[in-house]
Amino acid sequence: MTDQELQKTVKQTQALFDNYGVLNGDNDILHYDDAYAKQRGFRGTLGHGLMYTAYVCDLGAKKFGRDWHYKGRLTVKYVRGVCPGDNLVTTITADNQVHCKSQFDTTLVGSVGLA
Amino acid sequence: MTRPSDVKPREGELPGALYKDWVIGQEFDALPFTITKDIVQEYMSVVNAEPENYVIDGRQAAPPNVVLVYMMAVMYRKYPPQQGGIMIGNTIEFHHPIWADEDTDVVGTGRLTDKYERKGLKYIKYDVEFKTPEGALLVAVNHTSAFPN
């Protein structure tokens, strides 16, 4: 386990959204139809929330190691959309707070820990 | 092998369940599936997971969150999805490793715990538990989504 702040950056692309959708069988057009997404008031198609939740989990596993698999816990809220072109930076702070931020906004907030 | 796409009703294929259809307390039918080594590899690829973060006592584990690609299938088999759903939040607890070097049989179950309307959107909350066929808990999730209708 580390008490250091951990960070992971993933450039968001439509290909990432498409590939995740191929695996999970998703067909929600918010993830694939740019015109529909903009009509709904978003900057573009939306990334899958559970896709970038996995970035949080990746850092949680790095932070807590073995314990993460037996008693890891995270709570996340999706506060803004993630769109293609976003440079998404996921951070776990030293006191276990979580956020994802793009060049536009904070997109996810939450916390991680052990039960 | 069970690909999530094999068991998850896709948006637009069936008339989507509406707010009025959701029943608080409704149990979801059990969804058995198998996470194979191939699924783990594909999952790690599509979520940019770093394998070295998942080594336990020298053995390669999967990201335990790999089960999350099956989560919505558990609910959607009872309530087919609308287009335009938005994920609001998740609380996720991990209870046991899922190994990357073997197939894992899993059973997903769950129930709808709440629904409410706010600012023109319809919110749904549900719990999903993923267990082994023998009943050992792997992952538990409390999920919230919002839909237009």
Side-chain angles (χ1 to χ4, degrees), chain B residues 9-23 26 28 72 75-85 112 115 122-124 145-149:
Chain B
R10 288 163 60 84
E11 293 83 350
E13 284 183 346
L14 296 169
L18 303 176
Y19 184 76
K20 66 179 176 57
D21 301 322
W22 301 333
V23 177
Q26 175 68 58
F28 308 143
M72 287 184 285
M75 194 277 273
Y76 285 170
R77 285 156 58 94
K78 186 67 182 177
Y79 295 112
Q82 303 172 22
Q83 289 286 5
L112 198 152
K115 69 173 187 176
K122 278 79 172 174
Y123 290 77
I124 182 172
S145 280
F147 290 89
N149 301 297

Side-chain angles (χ1 to χ4, degrees), chain B residues 40-63:
Chain B
V40 172
Q41 284 193 346
E42 184 176 347
Y43 181 76
M44 294 183 77
S45 171
V46 301
V47 300
N48 296 64
E50 298 181 24
E52 61 269 28
N53 291 339
Y54 303 95
V55 177
I56 303 174
D57 301 330
R59 185 177 181 187
Q60 184 69 56

Side-chain angles (χ1 to χ4, degrees), chain B residues 84-100:
Chain B
I86 299 170
M87 197 164 284
I88 302 297
N90 284 296
T91 293
I92 304 164
E93 296 177 347
F94 302 120
H95 293 271
H96 194 279
I98 295 168
W99 300 108

Side-chain angles (χ1 to χ4, degrees), chain A residues 17-76:
Chain A
F17 303 173
D18 294 348
N19 291 338
Y20 189 89
V22 166
L23 175 59
N24 87 339
D26 182 274
N27 191 40
D28 187 333
I29 57 176
L30 258 180
H31 302 301
Y32 315 109
D33 186 332
D34 184 68
Y36 173 77
K38 287 175 176 169
Q39 180 191 332
R40 288 281 305 273
F42 300 105
R43 289 184 287 109
T45 54
L46 297 185
H48 304 270
L50 290 175
M51 183 184 75
Y52 51 95
T53 299
Y55 307 159
V56 177
C57 295
D58 204 39
L59 294 180
K62 185 174 186 176
K63 181 177 183 87
F64 295 107
R66 181 183 194 279
D67 285 346
W68 180 250
H69 296 262
Y70 291 94
K71 49 186 177 179
R73 187 177 199 276
L74 67 151
T75 295
V76 294

